[in-house]
Amino acid sequence: MLVRADDAKDWFYKGEGAANIVLGYCGSSLFLVGKVLRIQKVAKGGSPSPNGCLVLSDHERLMWKDIGELAESTSKDVAATAFIDHVMRNLLDSKHIDAGILVHVSKEFLEAVEGNIKSQRPPWRIDASKIDVLCESAFLISDHSIIIGTPKHDFCIAVEIKPKCGFLPSSEYIAEKNAVKRHVTRFKMHQFLKLHQGEISQISGYDPLDLFSGLKDRIHLAITALFASPQNNFRIFLNGCLIFGGLGGSMDNTDVRSHKSGEAIADLISACGLQLGSFLELVAEAIFGSGILDRLLATQQLDVLDIEGAIHVYYNIISRPCAVCKNSSDAELLHQYSSLHSLSLDDSLKIVREYLIAATAKDCSLMISFSRTADGRNASDCNSVALKSLNQSYNYKAYFIDLDLKPLEKMAYYYKLDQKIVNFYKMNDKTEGKPSISGSGGPPGEALDASS
Ligand SMILES: O=P(O)(O)O[C@@H]1[C@@H](OP(=O)(O)O)[C@H](OP(=O)(O)O)[C@H](O)[C@H](OP(=O)(O)O)[C@H]1OP(=O)(O)O
Ligand SMILES: Nc1ncnc2c1ncn2[C@@H]1O[C@H](COP(=O)(O)OP(=O)(O)OP(=O)(O)O)[C@@H](O)[C@H]1O
Ligand SMILES: [Zn+2]
């Protein structure tokens, strides 16, 4: 369907994450107006994905055997759709999910896009990955940063939030030495490692527990903290254009940050008749009123054992000696873990399957778009929200994006990264009373190389 290299000029760079590039449409096809195209990337030096062969490993196919369409999928795109339709849709409310449709894209089209968007991609993303030009399909999804039907003279303002994990784990399998995980969020601990590794320039004051609290004031506090430190967790779009937050993902160094200053944003928003403070309050009100994060939290909580428990079960599935038990000499812990190693294959599959579903829910984002209601009427496919302080109500729509299936083979990486995060946090906590924010010195647990 998008086959000509010439079609590429109608698509502009909208953003990207670790795995996909997303393009907005600026051409004249009525079918494509208001849509984005989500194209898969491939790691530089990695091999592009050949279409037509099974994309899941044997162990993954066993794990997802109850979902035939997923287990037997012959392209990543088909697997992605099946995962969203048969797994995530049941867990999160269908009305907040839009899997999009698969469209055919030619190599010529993808190569032309690659060339066109090069200057807008963050350099560190260019170094890491490129468009997978051999991938013959891409997803056409509604652009959730706009509300179709917003009158030309009016505006549409949207936020994108990557909430991350919204609960503290309480698994009995968390080793006593890692007890800090029970009372400090993974997000907070990870911030210190990210700062040390130069991925962020300051520690965020955002607390996911506030966002997921179900309490209006705490949700508002979380939104304010996200605005103060957006990193890759917060963006604002005005009429579909990014006006605040990093383009392309996590790094928030000034050179890869494309947002205007807080003051300029406040001016832009107030030109739409809305004060920045009221806008942030409106976002909090919509999150609170919709209860949209309740089901997301429940899905994240399918991770019951924490990676410190789930990792053992993973080794049951791949039928290999457990690398964690092998490196432990703590008899008491080994005894505790032995109960996990005696679980049946079916129980093991269920635990790891749910761990991976939870991992998707901990990494997805939420987009909420707002437009003014005309004459107090709200659009049929929107909910409405109002603030006492504003003499105006707003239509809003909320959608989850990036509900990608996580690969089973990531389990070992998850364990290493978890230990690296907690070790780094503990070491700084002990030596300085509170974690260092200087970002200097080598990280402890370098042997636990979570980048491999
Ligand atoms: O492990 P985390 O918590 O750092 O999450 C990764 C994200 O990092 P973040 O901390 O949100 O900046 C990471 O985001 P960035 O690339 O840092 O923007 C990805 O979302 C990654 O998922 P995938 O490899 O694309 O499937 C995410 O990996 P998963 O853990 O979700 O597999
Ligand atoms: N349906 C959509 N409407 C509008 N913008 C979108 C849509 N989907 C994605 N985007 C934009 O594109 C960016 C990248 O998309 P996405 O999060 O799906 O990439 P990813 O590579 O899967 O991310 P991750 O790093 O989390 O794996 C998003 O952060 C968002 O700004
Ligand atoms: Zn073990």
Side-chain angles (χ1 to χ4, degrees):
M1 137 143 215
L2 289 164
V3 285
R4 294 178 310 137
D6 194 40
D7 293 329
K9 66 174 184 337
D10 295 334
W11 295 92
F12 64 93
Y13 182 74
K14 196 156 169 99
E16 72 184 284
N20 297 277
I21 283 186
V22 174
L23 309 172
Y25 184 70
C26 53
S28 54
S29 154
L30 286 181
F31 176 65
L32 296 174
V33 168
K35 304 276 193 334
V36 299
L37 193 64
R38 187 170 186 245
I39 303 173
Q40 276 175 38
K41 297 194 293 182
V42 61
K44 284 241 170 105
S47 45
S49 48
N51 275 342
C53 55
L54 292 169
V55 285
L56 267 50
S57 67
D58 289 349
H59 292 122
E60 285 176 316
R61 280 195 287 139
L62 186 64
M63 201 170 59
W64 299 109
K65 62 183 182 316
D66 294 342
I67 305 166
E69 211 180 303
L70 174 55
E72 301 307 322
S73 50
T74 52
S75 82
K76 273 201 216 161
D77 288 333
V78 172
T81 311
F83 181 67
I84 292 179
D85 284 346
H86 301 293
V87 180
M88 299 313 289
R89 205 177 275 286
N90 300 330
L91 293 164
L92 308 172
D93 195 331
S94 225
K95 74 171 186 230
H96 299 302
I97 291 187
D98 168 20
I101 55 164
L102 268 179
V103 292
H104 177 68
V105 283
S106 72
K107 189 162 177 261
E108 292 70 30
F109 170 77
L110 293 176
E111 281 170 348
V113 165
E114 175 101 72
N116 293 352
I117 64 173
K118 207 171 222 152
S119 60
Q120 291 148 73
R121 295 185 64 202
W124 60 278
R125 286 286 194 203
I126 295 181
D127 290 345
S129 58
K130 56 183 184 187
I131 286 182
D132 184 352
V133 293
L134 295 185
C135 185
E136 291 162 1
S137 49
F139 279 103
L140 195 62
I141 313 172
S142 294
D143 185 337
H144 297 310
S145 62
I146 53 175
I147 294 180
I148 293 286
T150 305
K152 277 236 155 34
H153 60 271
D154 220 332
F155 67 91
C156 176
I157 185 158
V159 287
E160 176 182 342
I161 300 171
K162 191 180 196 184
K164 301 302 288 189
C165 182
F167 71 99
L168 291 169
S170 56
S171 164
E172 61 190 293
Y173 298 103
I174 296 176
E176 215 30 58
K177 68 180 172 63
N178 295 336
V180 66
K181 282 166 68 174
R182 299 177 203 274
H183 51 90
V184 180
T185 62
R186 144 83 175 222
F187 177 81
K188 180 172 176 181
M189 290 192 283
H190 200 178
Q191 285 283 300
F192 290 96
L193 183 64
K194 284 184 172 189
L195 179 70
H196 177 80
Q197 293 177 330
E199 288 177 32
I200 55 172
S201 55
Q202 60 173 37
I203 297 288
S204 168
Y206 163 62
D207 182 348
L209 302 184
D210 285 334
L211 190 70
F212 284 93
S213 66
L215 302 170
K216 208 189 314 189
D217 288 351
R218 285 185 68 187
I219 295 173
H220 185 220
L221 200 66
I223 300 297
T224 310
L226 284 167
F227 180 77
S229 207
Q231 297 186 7
N232 66 345
N233 304 99
F234 191 71
R235 293 184 180 86
I236 302 178
F237 297 84
L238 184 60
N239 297 326
C241 296
L242 181 75
I243 57 164
F244 183 78
L247 191 64
S250 72
M251 302 260 210
D252 73 342
N253 300 328
T254 39
D255 58 332
V256 294
R257 230 164 126 168
S258 73
H259 66 76
K260 303 177 181 357
S261 72
E263 221 169 281
I265 298 307
D267 287 349
L268 267 177
I269 294 177
S270 67
C272 305
L274 196 56
Q275 297 307 310
L276 174 64
S278 305
F279 172 62
L280 299 180
E281 220 180 311
L282 199 65
V283 173
E285 185 71 40
I287 291 175
F288 171 74
S290 65
I292 187 169
L293 292 182
D294 298 350
R295 283 171 77 163
L296 184 67
L297 181 61
T299 308
Q300 294 185 349
Q301 287 173 329
L302 288 175
D303 165 15
V304 176
L305 300 188
D306 187 75
I307 191 62
E308 291 190 43
I311 189 67
H312 301 275
V313 183
Y314 163 69
Y315 284 104
N316 296 349
I317 295 176
I318 62 165
S319 311
R320 293 230 203 106
C322 175
V324 176
C325 287
K326 200 173 75 188
N327 290 323
S328 171
S329 51
D330 184 325
E332 203 178 315
L333 275 179
L334 285 170
H335 175 69
Q336 202 186 1
Y337 297 148
S338 70
S339 65
L340 292 173
H341 286 299
S342 4
L343 288 170
S344 69
L345 179 62
D346 268 354
D347 287 347
S348 301
L349 289 169
K350 180 172 186 288
I351 288 169
V352 176
R353 195 167 55 228
E354 292 187 343
Y355 182 88
L356 291 175
I357 294 171
T360 295
K362 291 176 192 172
D363 192 44
C364 71
S365 297
L366 175 64
M367 291 191 86
I368 314 178
S369 47
F370 299 85
S371 68
R372 275 196 282 228
T373 55
D375 314 324
R377 282 181 294 121
N378 63 305
S380 58
D381 54 347
C382 287
N383 288 321
S384 75
V385 61
L387 291 181
K388 279 206 191 92
S389 56
L390 291 175
N391 191 20
Q392 170 75 53
S393 64
Y394 289 81
N395 290 313
Y396 76 91
K397 275 200 221 186
Y399 280 92
F400 290 110
I401 60 166
D402 193 8
L403 294 169
D404 288 341
L405 168 64
K406 302 289 178 181
L408 175 66
E409 63 174 16
K410 243 185 153 180
M411 290 297 288
Y413 165 83
Y414 285 151
Y415 180 77
K416 285 180 191 163
L417 179 60
D418 176 75
Q419 298 298 295
K420 188 171 176 172
I421 290 172
V422 71
N423 284 341
F424 185 72
Y425 186 81
K426 276 189 313 184
M427 197 190 90
N428 284 276
D429 206 21
K430 263 194 206 112
T431 52
E432 299 178 26
K434 66 182 172 67
S436 145
I437 55 165
S438 69
S440 61
E446 203 78 288
L448 293 164
D449 182 6
S451 63
S452 60

